[in-house]
Amino acid sequence: MTTITGKHPKVTLLGAGPGDPELLTLKAVKALNDADVVLYDSLVNVEILKHANRALLVFVGKRKGNHSHSQDEINEMIVSYAKEFGHVVRVKGGDPFVFGRGKEEEIYAQECGIETAVIPGISSSVAVPASVGIPVTARGVAESFWVITGTTSDRELSKDVSLAAQSSATVVVLMGMSKLAEIAEIYKSVGKADLPVAIIQDGTKSEQKEVVGTIENILEISQNQGIGAPAVIVIGEVVHLAKGRNVVKEDWQLEDEFIFQNLNTLPFSN
């Protein structure tokens, strides 16, 4: 199969990272340089599109209550553009396989006989907490982390939040701001009202905003500070390690000297 221009149809699913254009991978830049068509989401920083200076740029973003195209339409567009023009680069914020429906698009293109490739991106689930000095794991503090979607396909809060709340793991919630009150109630119900929480809006971008509190007060704090989507919610003791916080909570015990020496930080009070 070749296009009307004689090119071989191909679809590349590309992760654009969390927002900072400098966090785009080198492989992603090369793919954008080679693109004939770029389909991009609303969470993609448009600055990265300068790397696709010879491509047709098509916005197919979806936000709550405002979908420019349905997922079925996007699938069809990916294939039709590939058949007509050649190399289609489908750009998604973060990583295309982390709540990005990238696998659905890959399978659809493959079933239509189109060659596909995947270029992973830096996921906001780890990069955004890191941007404010929060490690999702830290020896002596958190041995694991969960990454959960705050809103499922049926617009409900994921049941995994209830399971995660019972663990000692760091919990990172994506697309969860509209469910923040529900999340807080779940944690309160298992006796974790004092657990620290950080919310980072527009993480890694120049307009980034962040707030810190506890399960008990994070909803009020975020509302007072005007924090909204897109944002990453981080729940767990690792929030104590955020940079720029230097007030020591009296009952906090930093058990691992390695963390203190290498992060150059102190825990902070709620």
Side-chain angles (χ1 to χ4, degrees), residues 30-148:
K30 290 179 178 179
L32 289 170
N33 288 161
D34 184 63
D36 297 303
V37 181
V38 172
L39 278 66
Y40 64 100
D41 279 353
S42 56
L43 291 179
V44 172
N45 190 327
V46 294
E47 287 188 39
I48 73 166
L49 300 179
K50 65 184 180 183
H51 297 296
N53 52 21
R54 66 179 188 83
L56 172 66
L57 305 179
V58 182
F59 175 73
V60 290
K62 291 180 288 188
R63 282 286 180 87
K64 183 179 179 181
N66 183 22
H67 292 191
S68 62
H69 298 281
S70 70
Q71 187 60 52
D72 287 342
E73 289 173 335
I74 292 172
N75 291 346
E76 293 170 1
M77 291 170 69
I78 290 170
V79 170
S80 63
Y81 277 122
K83 289 180 176 179
E84 182 176 357
F85 294 102
H87 188 192
V88 171
V89 175
R90 171 69 168 111
V91 184
K92 293 174 172 289
D95 182 275
F97 283 0
V98 180
F99 304 128
R101 304 188 74 172
K103 193 63 183 180
E104 297 174 43
E105 296 173 357
E106 180 189 38
I107 290 173
Y108 185 87
Q110 290 173 343
E111 289 177 344
C112 294
I114 306 296
E115 177 189 350
T116 63
V118 178
I119 299 177
I122 298 174
S123 175
S124 61
S125 61
V126 293
V128 170
S131 74
V132 294
I134 299 175
V136 292
T137 64
R139 278 206 309 153
V141 182
E143 299 174 353
S144 60
F145 67 99
W146 296 52
V147 181
I148 304 174

Side-chain angles (χ1 to χ4, degrees), residues 2-16:
T2 57
T3 67
I4 56 174
T5 59
K7 294 186 176 182
H8 180 72
K10 179 180 178 180
V11 171
T12 297
L13 297 168
L14 185 154

Side-chain angles (χ1 to χ4, degrees), residues 129-134 210 212 239-248 263-269:
S131 74
V132 294
I134 299 175
E210 63 272 349
V212 174
V239 173
H240 280 294
L241 299 172
K243 66 185 179 183
R245 307 289 179 171
N246 56 13
V247 181
V248 181
L263 291 180
N264 192 30
T265 189
L266 289 169
F268 61 98
S269 64

